């Protein structure tokens, strides 16, 4: 298996995991099956889509490969069918989501670099890929994005993307970069969940200028 | 009248109908006249704009033809002026909206095919064109998109786009495609309204992983 | 100082002012520091980003100059650190925001014209640049955009952009255009705040077709 095949497999795991979390979020909003499929799509490929629209990286991945949309739709409908057992799998989803977060962050950096972006833009692209699926999910489910309020999630994405970018600058081989960044990003997120690490909150309740 | 003239006329009917539904939704949120015009614009041309941004189909239609923005703004302000009689016209709007939905879905497929997209992407483009105006309207009016929750709306768009795509693949002439897809899509939506058809809902209220 | 240097300095003042208003809005939603930085970014550069995505004007400014993202992030974090004194500065922020609004509107027109857009599209681009940062801020903070509901804000942007476009059509020199449009746009907004000018509201509470 080449490193690109590894990253593709992990990307697919991440995409389908995000499809499941999107479908469950839609269910919490009592959406119909069509809404479930749509929110699953936004969650699963929203991050990469926002990144590519912002970078002008056309064609988008799901435009070139619409079969991913089909895979996401099927995953979303299977999630509905298997809803009764989903509650017992929440730990598994958190784990797969943590893996997906690390993979998405790395892929975002790779994509931006392949388009000739600067290191700082590439890190931003990694972050956008990592977190925007969840932001879109929360936007369509009418809640302030979780990633802005709770848990160490975005910071994990930022750290993973930055580390990958740093290793790229010192010209480490692709395998070594993946073997360093994937476990560290994945482990960082798992530790953040385990110990409920979070970022300080800014609570500003004065009435001021809008 | 050529088939392209017919589709342009029907598109304009659809755009202006959507402008009216957008203006009324803004009024339900007690927006000011500027907000009314903006929400009318999002509703009327949001679907095509999202489609073209996702496909990279520049320039956008309203960038090339900003006079459409003016027509939408005038329609929105006329809607405000005629608000007292609007309640008596709701059946007319539902009917015009049903026609617009079929037309938008067909135009989305046509646009994607003209850009060399695959059949499945073209169907997705038809769906996006059909429903994203309403999604943006609901997003800016702070409600979970209607299209994700109620009524057979998106499915009508999906069916119309799929049928048009299928007829394109078997190389039917443009007139025949329109004469088949427009009445079927339009009629399907009217039947869905008449008999309150809807898609099953997914209600998932367990607390699980985000 | 050339006119382009003046406009760049004023643009930076506007961007950093918007970053502060974004950070404070995030604080009102009790977001964490990451959310604060994100909402500051959306508010500060969201308008220009939406404009360039709609016009296809790649690369986006912050993709070409990611150091602006860093400046916005630092400004947002300084806003958190200085939160206790922020309430005493609300009048200052309103003033800087009014200046930023005029500058953003002018820059939007300039950018669209430099891409060969028509006068009407250029005015739309000025308006989008002026108001979309605040719209995105409100969207992520879960409120109906202020600009759709209260105050003479968007109209100021529209007037400034239209005036600048008009002066461009009669081929006035850049300095003269700036010396006319900046004070007029700025003053118009200050007067609107001072006298609580607002646009009439459309209140439509009938149940009608969606």
């Amino acid at each position: 298996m080449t490193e690109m095949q590894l990253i593709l497999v992990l990307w697919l795991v991440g995409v389908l995991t995000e499809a499941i979390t999107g479908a469950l979020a839609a269910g919490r909003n009592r959406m119909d099956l069509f809404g479930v499929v749509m929110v699953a799509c936004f969650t699963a490929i929203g991050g990469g889509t926002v990144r590519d629209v912002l970078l002008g990286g056309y064609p988008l991945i799901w435009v070139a490969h619409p079969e991913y949309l089909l895979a996401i739709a099927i995953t979303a409908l299977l999630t509905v069918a298997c809803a009764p057992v989903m509650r017992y799998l929440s730990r598994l989803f958190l784990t797969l989501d943590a893996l997906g977060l690390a993979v998405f962050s790395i892929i975002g950096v790779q994509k931006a670099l392949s388009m000739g972006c600067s290191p700082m833009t590439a890190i931003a692209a990694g972050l956008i890929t990592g977190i925007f699926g969840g932001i879109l999910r929360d936007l369509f489910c009418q809640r302030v994005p979780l990633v802005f309020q709770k848990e160490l999630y975005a910071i994990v994405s930022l750290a993973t993307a930055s580390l990958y970018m740093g290793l790229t600058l010192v010209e480490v081989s692709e395998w070594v970069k993946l073997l360093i960044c994937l476990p560290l990003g994945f482990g960082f997120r798992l530790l953040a969940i385990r110990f409920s690490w979070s970022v300080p909150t800014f609570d500003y309740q004065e009435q001021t200028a809008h």
Side-chain angles (χ1 to χ4, degrees), chain A:
Chain A
M1 187 157 71
T2 70
E3 68 267 29
M4 289 318 292
Q5 284 170 328
L6 172 67
I7 209 99
L8 181 64
V9 168
L10 293 175
W11 177 77
L12 261 174
V13 170
V15 163
L16 298 183
T17 304
E18 295 308 315
I20 293 170
T21 74
L24 294 178
R28 272 181 227 112
N29 272 266
R30 295 184 179 79
M31 291 190 186
D32 66 24
L33 292 188
F34 178 79
V36 168
V37 168
M38 289 298 288
V39 174
C41 286
F42 293 148
T43 313
I45 49 172
T49 296
V50 170
R51 176 200 64 216
D52 287 346
V53 165
L54 292 175
L55 297 181
Y58 294 103
L60 303 184
I61 181 106
W62 56 267
V63 170
H65 297 284
E67 60 271 21
Y68 291 135
L69 294 181
L70 211 60
I72 292 166
I74 292 168
T75 304
L77 295 176
L78 285 176
T79 303
V80 174
C82 305
V85 300
M86 283 297 162
R87 80 193 69 173
Y88 304 109
L89 300 174
S90 65
R91 196 165 293 193
L92 172 64
F93 291 139
L94 271 181
T95 309
L96 290 176
D97 177 76
L99 183 60
L101 180 64
V103 176
F104 282 16
S105 306
I106 290 169
I107 286 177
V109 176
Q110 291 178 332
K111 177 73 192 256
L113 290 178
S114 78
M115 295 178 65
C117 292
S118 67
M120 219 168 120
T121 304
I123 292 171
L127 177 64
I128 290 168
T129 314
I131 68 170
F132 253 85
I135 292 176
L136 288 179
R137 176 196 60 208
D138 294 343
L139 203 59
F140 284 104
C141 289
Q142 291 289 311
R143 58 183 181 195
V144 172
L146 276 176
V147 73
F148 293 174
Q149 289 192 300
K150 290 177 187 160
E151 307 181 21
L152 218 62
Y153 194 87
I155 298 291
V156 172
S157 177
L158 193 60
T160 309
S162 302
L163 180 63
Y164 186 87
M165 187 64 237
L167 293 173
T168 303
L169 287 175
V170 298
E171 300 189 16
V172 174
S173 84
E174 194 63 34
W175 269 114
V176 174
K177 284 193 282 186
L178 291 181
L179 285 175
I180 292 175
C181 295
L182 277 177
L184 281 182
F186 181 51
F188 186 14
R189 173 68 185 141
L190 290 185
L191 287 172
I193 296 171
R194 175 69 186 78
F195 296 106
S196 299
W197 287 342
S198 66
V199 179
T201 297
F202 177 37
D203 190 349
Y204 183 77
Q205 299 305 326
E206 286 320 305
Q207 282 302 324
T208 60
H210 91 86

mmCIF file of all heavy atoms in Angstrom, chain A residues 35-79:
data_model
loop_
_atom_site.group_PDB
_atom_site.id
_atom_site.type_symbol
_atom_site.label_atom_id
_atom_site.label_comp_id
_atom_site.label_asym_id
_atom_site.label_seq_id
_atom_site.Cartn_x
_atom_site.Cartn_y
_atom_site.Cartn_z
ATOM 1 N N GLY A 35 -33.663 15.351 4.376
ATOM 2 C CA GLY A 35 -32.837 16.226 5.205
ATOM 3 C C GLY A 35 -31.677 15.471 5.837
ATOM 4 O O GLY A 35 -30.565 15.993 5.938
ATOM 5 N N VAL A 36 -31.938 14.230 6.230
ATOM 6 C CA VAL A 36 -30.883 13.401 6.819
ATOM 7 C C VAL A 36 -29.736 13.223 5.822
ATOM 8 O O VAL A 36 -28.563 13.389 6.159
ATOM 9 C CB VAL A 36 -31.457 12.029 7.249
ATOM 10 C CG1 VAL A 36 -30.342 11.051 7.585
ATOM 11 C CG2 VAL A 36 -32.414 12.204 8.423
ATOM 12 N N VAL A 37 -30.099 12.904 4.581
ATOM 13 C CA VAL A 37 -29.071 12.696 3.562
ATOM 14 C C VAL A 37 -28.322 14.007 3.283
ATOM 15 O O VAL A 37 -27.084 14.017 3.155
ATOM 16 C CB VAL A 37 -29.703 12.141 2.263
ATOM 17 C CG1 VAL A 37 -28.725 12.186 1.100
ATOM 18 C CG2 VAL A 37 -30.192 10.717 2.498
ATOM 19 N N MET A 38 -29.050 15.118 3.223
ATOM 20 C CA MET A 38 -28.398 16.403 2.944
ATOM 21 C C MET A 38 -27.428 16.782 4.056
ATOM 22 O O MET A 38 -26.300 17.185 3.792
ATOM 23 C CB MET A 38 -29.450 17.505 2.774
ATOM 24 C CG MET A 38 -30.261 17.400 1.510
ATOM 25 S SD MET A 38 -29.289 17.548 -0.004
ATOM 26 C CE MET A 38 -28.897 19.294 0.009
ATOM 27 N N VAL A 39 -27.884 16.695 5.308
ATOM 28 C CA VAL A 39 -26.998 17.076 6.414
ATOM 29 C C VAL A 39 -25.799 16.124 6.483
ATOM 30 O O VAL A 39 -24.678 16.546 6.785
ATOM 31 C CB VAL A 39 -27.776 17.123 7.741
ATOM 32 C CG1 VAL A 39 -26.841 17.382 8.916
ATOM 33 C CG2 VAL A 39 -28.839 18.216 7.685
ATOM 34 N N ALA A 40 -26.019 14.849 6.162
ATOM 35 C CA ALA A 40 -24.894 13.912 6.113
ATOM 36 C C ALA A 40 -23.875 14.342 5.058
ATOM 37 O O ALA A 40 -22.664 14.321 5.283
ATOM 38 C CB ALA A 40 -25.403 12.497 5.814
ATOM 39 N N CYS A 41 -24.373 14.782 3.894
ATOM 40 C CA CYS A 41 -23.464 15.256 2.835
ATOM 41 C C CYS A 41 -22.697 16.494 3.288
ATOM 42 O O CYS A 41 -21.478 16.586 3.099
ATOM 43 C CB CYS A 41 -24.248 15.583 1.555
ATOM 44 S SG CYS A 41 -24.801 14.134 0.645
ATOM 45 N N PHE A 42 -23.403 17.476 3.872
ATOM 46 C CA PHE A 42 -22.728 18.695 4.333
ATOM 47 C C PHE A 42 -21.633 18.351 5.331
ATOM 48 O O PHE A 42 -20.531 18.894 5.287
ATOM 49 C CB PHE A 42 -23.718 19.647 5.024
ATOM 50 C CG PHE A 42 -24.748 20.230 4.112
ATOM 51 C CD1 PHE A 42 -26.019 20.539 4.573
ATOM 52 C CD2 PHE A 42 -24.461 20.489 2.778
ATOM 53 C CE1 PHE A 42 -26.971 21.086 3.746
ATOM 54 C CE2 PHE A 42 -25.415 21.039 1.934
ATOM 55 C CZ PHE A 42 -26.677 21.331 2.421
ATOM 56 N N THR A 43 -21.958 17.459 6.264
ATOM 57 C CA THR A 43 -21.011 17.137 7.334
ATOM 58 C C THR A 43 -19.804 16.391 6.785
ATOM 59 O O THR A 43 -18.661 16.646 7.167
ATOM 60 C CB THR A 43 -21.703 16.285 8.413
ATOM 61 O OG1 THR A 43 -22.951 16.877 8.748
ATOM 62 C CG2 THR A 43 -20.844 16.177 9.656
ATOM 63 N N ALA A 44 -20.069 15.470 5.855
ATOM 64 C CA ALA A 44 -19.008 14.585 5.385
ATOM 65 C C ALA A 44 -18.056 15.284 4.427
ATOM 66 O O ALA A 44 -16.840 15.100 4.492
ATOM 67 C CB ALA A 44 -19.627 13.354 4.711
ATOM 68 N N ILE A 45 -18.610 16.091 3.501
ATOM 69 C CA ILE A 45 -17.726 16.679 2.492
ATOM 70 C C ILE A 45 -17.773 18.198 2.497
ATOM 71 O O ILE A 45 -17.175 18.848 1.642
ATOM 72 C CB ILE A 45 -18.074 16.158 1.080
ATOM 73 C CG1 ILE A 45 -19.569 16.286 0.833
ATOM 74 C CG2 ILE A 45 -17.586 14.738 0.893
ATOM 75 C CD1 ILE A 45 -19.955 15.991 -0.584
ATOM 76 N N GLY A 46 -18.445 18.779 3.509
ATOM 77 C CA GLY A 46 -18.528 20.236 3.586
ATOM 78 C C GLY A 46 -17.172 20.882 3.790
ATOM 79 O O GLY A 46 -16.889 21.936 3.211
ATOM 80 N N GLY A 47 -16.335 20.268 4.620
ATOM 81 C CA GLY A 47 -15.032 20.861 4.914
ATOM 82 C C GLY A 47 -14.178 20.973 3.663
ATOM 83 O O GLY A 47 -13.640 22.039 3.348
ATOM 84 N N GLY A 48 -14.077 19.878 2.909
ATOM 85 C CA GLY A 48 -13.285 19.899 1.680
ATOM 86 C C GLY A 48 -13.895 20.812 0.637
ATOM 87 O O GLY A 48 -13.178 21.456 -0.129
ATOM 88 N N THR A 49 -15.235 20.877 0.619
ATOM 89 C CA THR A 49 -15.909 21.734 -0.360
ATOM 90 C C THR A 49 -15.633 23.211 -0.075
ATOM 91 O O THR A 49 -15.281 23.973 -0.985
ATOM 92 C CB THR A 49 -17.434 21.459 -0.339
ATOM 93 O OG1 THR A 49 -17.661 20.116 -0.750
ATOM 94 C CG2 THR A 49 -18.177 22.411 -1.255
ATOM 95 N N VAL A 50 -15.769 23.617 1.193
ATOM 96 C CA VAL A 50 -15.487 25.003 1.552
ATOM 97 C C VAL A 50 -14.030 25.341 1.222
ATOM 98 O O VAL A 50 -13.727 26.387 0.639
ATOM 99 C CB VAL A 50 -15.783 25.258 3.047
ATOM 100 C CG1 VAL A 50 -15.259 26.611 3.492
ATOM 101 C CG2 VAL A 50 -17.284 25.169 3.297
ATOM 102 N N ARG A 51 -13.125 24.432 1.577
ATOM 103 C CA ARG A 51 -11.703 24.653 1.277
ATOM 104 C C ARG A 51 -11.491 24.884 -0.226
ATOM 105 O O ARG A 51 -10.843 25.856 -0.629
ATOM 106 C CB ARG A 51 -10.880 23.437 1.719
ATOM 107 C CG ARG A 51 -9.407 23.535 1.361
ATOM 108 C CD ARG A 51 -8.752 22.157 1.367
ATOM 109 N NE ARG A 51 -9.335 21.316 0.331
ATOM 110 C CZ ARG A 51 -9.549 20.010 0.428
ATOM 111 N NH1 ARG A 51 -9.250 19.368 1.540
ATOM 112 N NH2 ARG A 51 -10.074 19.326 -0.586
ATOM 113 N N ASP A 52 -12.065 24.013 -1.052
ATOM 114 C CA ASP A 52 -11.799 24.110 -2.479
ATOM 115 C C ASP A 52 -12.479 25.317 -3.111
ATOM 116 O O ASP A 52 -11.947 25.909 -4.050
ATOM 117 C CB ASP A 52 -12.213 22.812 -3.187
ATOM 118 C CG ASP A 52 -11.229 21.686 -2.875
ATOM 119 O OD1 ASP A 52 -10.131 21.982 -2.365
ATOM 120 O OD2 ASP A 52 -11.556 20.522 -3.138
ATOM 121 N N VAL A 53 -13.650 25.697 -2.595
ATOM 122 C CA VAL A 53 -14.297 26.912 -3.098
ATOM 123 C C VAL A 53 -13.448 28.135 -2.736
ATOM 124 O O VAL A 53 -13.254 29.037 -3.562
ATOM 125 C CB VAL A 53 -15.731 27.045 -2.541
ATOM 126 C CG1 VAL A 53 -16.278 28.449 -2.755
ATOM 127 C CG2 VAL A 53 -16.649 26.026 -3.200
ATOM 128 N N LEU A 54 -12.889 28.148 -1.528
ATOM 129 C CA LEU A 54 -12.079 29.297 -1.101
ATOM 130 C C LEU A 54 -10.749 29.356 -1.862
ATOM 131 O O LEU A 54 -10.250 30.438 -2.179
ATOM 132 C CB LEU A 54 -11.823 29.241 0.402
ATOM 133 C CG LEU A 54 -13.063 29.455 1.284
ATOM 134 C CD1 LEU A 54 -12.714 29.265 2.754
ATOM 135 C CD2 LEU A 54 -13.654 30.842 1.066
ATOM 136 N N LEU A 55 -10.182 28.180 -2.156
ATOM 137 C CA LEU A 55 -8.900 28.176 -2.878
ATOM 138 C C LEU A 55 -9.098 28.236 -4.392
ATOM 139 O O LEU A 55 -8.141 28.428 -5.128
ATOM 140 C CB LEU A 55 -8.099 26.917 -2.522
ATOM 141 C CG LEU A 55 -7.660 26.756 -1.061
ATOM 142 C CD1 LEU A 55 -6.862 25.472 -0.891
ATOM 143 C CD2 LEU A 55 -6.820 27.951 -0.609
ATOM 144 N N GLY A 56 -10.357 28.066 -4.841
ATOM 145 C CA GLY A 56 -10.579 27.990 -6.284
ATOM 146 C C GLY A 56 -10.090 26.669 -6.863
ATOM 147 O O GLY A 56 -9.665 26.614 -8.005
ATOM 148 N N GLY A 57 -10.161 25.614 -6.071
ATOM 149 C CA GLY A 57 -9.644 24.307 -6.492
ATOM 150 C C GLY A 57 -10.688 23.479 -7.197
ATOM 151 O O GLY A 57 -11.175 22.503 -6.630
ATOM 152 N N TYR A 58 -11.009 23.847 -8.422
ATOM 153 C CA TYR A 58 -12.041 23.139 -9.171
ATOM 154 C C TYR A 58 -11.417 22.061 -10.029
ATOM 155 O O TYR A 58 -10.283 22.218 -10.470
ATOM 156 C CB TYR A 58 -12.827 24.133 -10.043
ATOM 157 C CG TYR A 58 -13.608 25.117 -9.220
ATOM 158 C CD1 TYR A 58 -13.148 26.429 -9.055
ATOM 159 C CD2 TYR A 58 -14.773 24.740 -8.587
ATOM 160 C CE1 TYR A 58 -13.864 27.337 -8.285
ATOM 161 C CE2 TYR A 58 -15.491 25.643 -7.810
ATOM 162 C CZ TYR A 58 -15.035 26.941 -7.669
ATOM 163 O OH TYR A 58 -15.740 27.832 -6.897
ATOM 164 N N PRO A 59 -12.115 20.954 -10.371
ATOM 165 C CA PRO A 59 -13.459 20.627 -9.885
ATOM 166 C C PRO A 59 -13.414 20.100 -8.447
ATOM 167 O O PRO A 59 -12.424 19.493 -8.039
ATOM 168 C CB PRO A 59 -13.908 19.516 -10.832
ATOM 169 C CG PRO A 59 -12.644 18.847 -11.239
ATOM 170 C CD PRO A 59 -11.607 19.935 -11.292
ATOM 171 N N LEU A 60 -14.497 20.334 -7.706
ATOM 172 C CA LEU A 60 -14.625 19.777 -6.368
ATOM 173 C C LEU A 60 -14.578 18.249 -6.441
ATOM 174 O O LEU A 60 -14.938 17.662 -7.459
ATOM 175 C CB LEU A 60 -15.947 20.218 -5.740
ATOM 176 C CG LEU A 60 -16.189 21.721 -5.643
ATOM 177 C CD1 LEU A 60 -17.488 21.995 -4.903
ATOM 178 C CD2 LEU A 60 -15.045 22.426 -4.955
ATOM 179 N N ILE A 61 -14.138 17.642 -5.342
ATOM 180 C CA ILE A 61 -13.961 16.185 -5.331
ATOM 181 C C ILE A 61 -15.254 15.437 -5.660
ATOM 182 O O ILE A 61 -15.247 14.477 -6.428
ATOM 183 C CB ILE A 61 -13.393 15.725 -3.962
ATOM 184 C CG1 ILE A 61 -13.176 14.217 -3.941
ATOM 185 C CG2 ILE A 61 -14.266 16.134 -2.804
ATOM 186 C CD1 ILE A 61 -11.761 13.834 -4.019
ATOM 187 N N TRP A 62 -16.382 15.905 -5.127
ATOM 188 C CA TRP A 62 -17.632 15.162 -5.366
ATOM 189 C C TRP A 62 -18.242 15.505 -6.713
ATOM 190 O O TRP A 62 -19.160 14.820 -7.170
ATOM 191 C CB TRP A 62 -18.638 15.389 -4.240
ATOM 192 C CG TRP A 62 -18.981 16.814 -3.981
ATOM 193 C CD1 TRP A 62 -18.373 17.634 -3.074
ATOM 194 C CD2 TRP A 62 -19.983 17.597 -4.629
ATOM 195 N NE1 TRP A 62 -18.940 18.883 -3.118
ATOM 196 C CE2 TRP A 62 -19.932 18.890 -4.058
ATOM 197 C CE3 TRP A 62 -20.915 17.354 -5.627
ATOM 198 C CZ2 TRP A 62 -20.779 19.933 -4.469
ATOM 199 C CZ3 TRP A 62 -21.748 18.379 -6.034
ATOM 200 C CH2 TRP A 62 -21.675 19.644 -5.457
ATOM 201 N N VAL A 63 -17.755 16.577 -7.352
ATOM 202 C CA VAL A 63 -18.173 16.858 -8.728
ATOM 203 C C VAL A 63 -17.442 15.898 -9.665
ATOM 204 O O VAL A 63 -18.018 15.335 -10.597
ATOM 205 C CB VAL A 63 -17.906 18.331 -9.095
ATOM 206 C CG1 VAL A 63 -18.106 18.563 -10.587
ATOM 207 C CG2 VAL A 63 -18.817 19.244 -8.284
ATOM 208 N N ALA A 64 -16.151 15.684 -9.370
ATOM 209 C CA ALA A 64 -15.367 14.748 -10.178
ATOM 210 C C ALA A 64 -15.745 13.297 -9.864
ATOM 211 O O ALA A 64 -15.692 12.439 -10.744
ATOM 212 C CB ALA A 64 -13.878 14.978 -9.941
ATOM 213 N N HIS A 65 -16.105 13.037 -8.607
ATOM 214 C CA HIS A 65 -16.433 11.669 -8.192
ATOM 215 C C HIS A 65 -17.779 11.644 -7.474
ATOM 216 O O HIS A 65 -17.837 11.447 -6.262
ATOM 217 C CB HIS A 65 -15.346 11.124 -7.256
ATOM 218 C CG HIS A 65 -14.011 11.004 -7.891
ATOM 219 N ND1 HIS A 65 -13.684 10.002 -8.774
ATOM 220 C CD2 HIS A 65 -12.909 11.786 -7.799
ATOM 221 C CE1 HIS A 65 -12.439 10.157 -9.188
ATOM 222 N NE2 HIS A 65 -11.935 11.237 -8.606
ATOM 223 N N PRO A 66 -18.893 11.810 -8.223
ATOM 224 C CA PRO A 66 -20.207 11.871 -7.562
ATOM 225 C C PRO A 66 -20.568 10.566 -6.851
ATOM 226 O O PRO A 66 -21.504 10.549 -6.057
ATOM 227 C CB PRO A 66 -21.177 12.187 -8.702
ATOM 228 C CG PRO A 66 -20.451 11.865 -9.947
ATOM 229 C CD PRO A 66 -18.997 12.013 -9.673
ATOM 230 N N GLU A 67 -19.814 9.491 -7.099
ATOM 231 C CA GLU A 67 -20.113 8.233 -6.402
ATOM 232 C C GLU A 67 -19.918 8.373 -4.888
ATOM 233 O O GLU A 67 -20.532 7.654 -4.108
ATOM 234 C CB GLU A 67 -19.255 7.082 -6.954
ATOM 235 C CG GLU A 67 -17.756 7.258 -6.832
ATOM 236 C CD GLU A 67 -17.130 7.981 -8.024
ATOM 237 O OE1 GLU A 67 -17.863 8.696 -8.751
ATOM 238 O OE2 GLU A 67 -15.909 7.842 -8.222
ATOM 239 N N TYR A 68 -19.099 9.346 -4.463
ATOM 240 C CA TYR A 68 -18.960 9.585 -3.015
ATOM 241 C C TYR A 68 -20.283 10.076 -2.419
ATOM 242 O O TYR A 68 -20.620 9.744 -1.290
ATOM 243 C CB TYR A 68 -17.856 10.608 -2.726
ATOM 244 C CG TYR A 68 -16.460 10.094 -3.025
ATOM 245 C CD1 TYR A 68 -15.532 10.885 -3.704
ATOM 246 C CD2 TYR A 68 -16.065 8.823 -2.622
ATOM 247 C CE1 TYR A 68 -14.256 10.413 -3.981
ATOM 248 C CE2 TYR A 68 -14.791 8.339 -2.906
ATOM 249 C CZ TYR A 68 -13.890 9.141 -3.580
ATOM 250 O OH TYR A 68 -12.628 8.686 -3.856
ATOM 251 N N LEU A 69 -21.011 10.901 -3.203
ATOM 252 C CA LEU A 69 -22.318 11.364 -2.720
ATOM 253 C C LEU A 69 -23.241 10.172 -2.471
ATOM 254 O O LEU A 69 -23.967 10.123 -1.474
ATOM 255 C CB LEU A 69 -22.974 12.300 -3.745
ATOM 256 C CG LEU A 69 -22.308 13.640 -4.001
ATOM 257 C CD1 LEU A 69 -23.122 14.423 -5.028
ATOM 258 C CD2 LEU A 69 -22.185 14.439 -2.716
ATOM 259 N N LEU A 70 -23.182 9.216 -3.385
ATOM 260 C CA LEU A 70 -24.013 8.017 -3.273
ATOM 261 C C LEU A 70 -23.618 7.227 -2.025
ATOM 262 O O LEU A 70 -24.483 6.765 -1.261
ATOM 263 C CB LEU A 70 -23.827 7.163 -4.532
ATOM 264 C CG LEU A 70 -25.011 6.327 -4.974
ATOM 265 C CD1 LEU A 70 -26.209 7.219 -5.278
ATOM 266 C CD2 LEU A 70 -24.651 5.497 -6.196
ATOM 267 N N ALA A 71 -22.318 7.085 -1.798
ATOM 268 C CA ALA A 71 -21.841 6.342 -0.628
ATOM 269 C C ALA A 71 -22.291 7.029 0.657
ATOM 270 O O ALA A 71 -22.695 6.370 1.626
ATOM 271 C CB ALA A 71 -20.315 6.228 -0.670
ATOM 272 N N ILE A 72 -22.243 8.370 0.659
ATOM 273 C CA ILE A 72 -22.673 9.120 1.849
ATOM 274 C C ILE A 72 -24.171 8.951 2.064
ATOM 275 O O ILE A 72 -24.634 8.735 3.190
ATOM 276 C CB ILE A 72 -22.301 10.614 1.696
ATOM 277 C CG1 ILE A 72 -20.790 10.769 1.725
ATOM 278 C CG2 ILE A 72 -22.959 11.457 2.782
ATOM 279 C CD1 ILE A 72 -20.305 12.123 1.241
ATOM 280 N N ALA A 73 -24.948 9.026 0.971
ATOM 281 C CA ALA A 73 -26.402 8.879 1.089
ATOM 282 C C ALA A 73 -26.762 7.505 1.643
ATOM 283 O O ALA A 73 -27.615 7.371 2.534
ATOM 284 C CB ALA A 73 -27.056 9.109 -0.274
ATOM 285 N N ILE A 74 -26.106 6.474 1.128
ATOM 286 C CA ILE A 74 -26.389 5.115 1.606
ATOM 287 C C ILE A 74 -26.018 4.982 3.083
ATOM 288 O O ILE A 74 -26.764 4.417 3.885
ATOM 289 C CB ILE A 74 -25.631 4.074 0.737
ATOM 290 C CG1 ILE A 74 -26.227 4.072 -0.685
ATOM 291 C CG2 ILE A 74 -25.682 2.687 1.370
ATOM 292 C CD1 ILE A 74 -25.389 3.315 -1.700
ATOM 293 N N THR A 75 -24.849 5.545 3.449
ATOM 294 C CA THR A 75 -24.426 5.503 4.858
ATOM 295 C C THR A 75 -25.453 6.196 5.748
ATOM 296 O O THR A 75 -25.784 5.706 6.841
ATOM 297 C CB THR A 75 -23.056 6.182 5.022
ATOM 298 O OG1 THR A 75 -22.119 5.549 4.150
ATOM 299 C CG2 THR A 75 -22.562 6.105 6.452
ATOM 300 N N ALA A 76 -25.972 7.343 5.272
ATOM 301 C CA ALA A 76 -26.947 8.093 6.073
ATOM 302 C C ALA A 76 -28.220 7.276 6.274
ATOM 303 O O ALA A 76 -28.767 7.215 7.379
ATOM 304 C CB ALA A 76 -27.267 9.420 5.391
ATOM 305 N N LEU A 77 -28.675 6.612 5.207
ATOM 306 C CA LEU A 77 -29.905 5.827 5.315
ATOM 307 C C LEU A 77 -29.685 4.592 6.184
ATOM 308 O O LEU A 77 -30.568 4.194 6.963
ATOM 309 C CB LEU A 77 -30.411 5.446 3.920
ATOM 310 C CG LEU A 77 -30.848 6.661 3.082
ATOM 311 C CD1 LEU A 77 -31.253 6.241 1.677
ATOM 312 C CD2 LEU A 77 -31.993 7.410 3.774
ATOM 313 N N LEU A 78 -28.486 3.978 6.095
ATOM 314 C CA LEU A 78 -28.176 2.848 6.977
ATOM 315 C C LEU A 78 -28.148 3.306 8.425
ATOM 316 O O LEU A 78 -28.554 2.563 9.335
ATOM 317 C CB LEU A 78 -26.811 2.232 6.602
ATOM 318 C CG LEU A 78 -26.793 1.373 5.341
ATOM 319 C CD1 LEU A 78 -25.377 0.903 5.032
ATOM 320 C CD2 LEU A 78 -27.713 0.155 5.531
ATOM 321 N N THR A 79 -27.679 4.549 8.649
ATOM 322 C CA THR A 79 -27.657 5.084 10.015
ATOM 323 C C THR A 79 -29.068 5.160 10.582
ATOM 324 O O THR A 79 -29.311 4.819 11.747
ATOM 325 C CB THR A 79 -27.021 6.490 10.018
ATOM 326 O OG1 THR A 79 -25.717 6.402 9.454
ATOM 327 C CG2 THR A 79 -26.933 7.052 11.432
#
